[in-house]
Amino acid sequence: HEVLRELQESILECSSRGLVNSAKWAAENASCLIKHVPGGADSIPTMKYDDKLLQEWTQYQLAKTYFDLKEFRRAAHALRACQSMQSTFLRLYALFLAGEKEKEPEVLPRPGQVQKNKELSTLRHELALMHEKDTQI
């Protein structure tokens, strides 16, 4: 029963962060497990939000809609002043995906040459600052 509850919570957590493949995996496993847990269908989890996210909810939802539309730069920009763990995660993930999306698709790299995500140095800097402050995402 505990595993099912944790899978259901992870579906919500992963979906809210845009981790669609992880959410799918958790949902598929929960779907299989729910058939074998008495009363499993009755246990619907509620998301636990930190206080900062509740204050930032409108901005977070705006950014999440941009993210779902694959407008990663707009999503990151919408969250630039937000401080909650979920907002920070979504902003950094959106920046990473923006960098991946903006790799020069028309230029084919030579053998052995790797195209670099231009956002990696920014992300490294921000994560290093968070590590110094001992902030968790």
Side-chain angles (χ1 to χ4, degrees):
H1 209 194
E2 181 68 21
V3 172
L4 177 61
R5 186 185 59 73
E6 288 181 12
L7 282 170
Q8 290 171 329
E9 286 178 5
S10 70
I11 295 165
L12 294 171
E13 291 288 335
C14 291
S15 293
S16 74
R17 287 177 169 80
L19 301 171
V20 293
N21 287 315
S22 298
K24 180 182 102 173
W25 179 89
E28 289 172 342
N29 283 284
S31 176
C32 292
L33 189 60
I34 203 164
K35 299 170 188 167
H36 305 289
V37 175
D42 297 332
S43 61
I44 309 259
T46 57
M47 288 213 29
K48 299 173 190 135
Y49 297 111
D50 62 37
D51 291 338
K52 287 181 183 175
L53 182 60
L54 292 175
Q55 294 168 0
E56 302 166 354
W57 188 249
T58 302
Q59 280 305 111
Y60 182 83
Q61 288 299 307
L62 173 64
K64 182 69 170 72
T65 59
Y66 290 150
F67 185 91
D68 291 343
L69 292 168
K70 299 189 181 349
E71 296 181 25
F72 302 121
R73 287 235 177 263
R74 288 182 83 185
H77 183 75
L79 294 170
R80 69 193 179 283
C82 296
Q83 300 295 317
S84 71
M85 292 186 311
Q86 280 186 312
S87 296
T88 301
F89 176 87
L90 188 61
R91 182 176 57 79
L92 296 176
Y93 189 36
L95 279 176
F96 171 77
L97 291 176
E100 289 294 299
K101 187 177 178 181
E102 292 169 0
K103 284 182 181 177
E104 301 170 27
E106 68 279 353
V107 178
L108 295 175
R110 287 178 258 146
Q113 181 183 11
V114 178
Q115 288 183 312
K116 186 178 177 188
N117 182 329
K118 295 176 183 173
E119 293 299 330
L120 292 179
S121 60
T122 301
L123 293 170
R124 182 178 183 275
H125 176 72
E126 287 198 42
L127 290 169
L129 289 175
M130 291 172 65
H131 180 70
E132 287 176 14
K133 294 179 185 175
D134 197 30
T135 305
Q136 295 181 359
I137 302 181

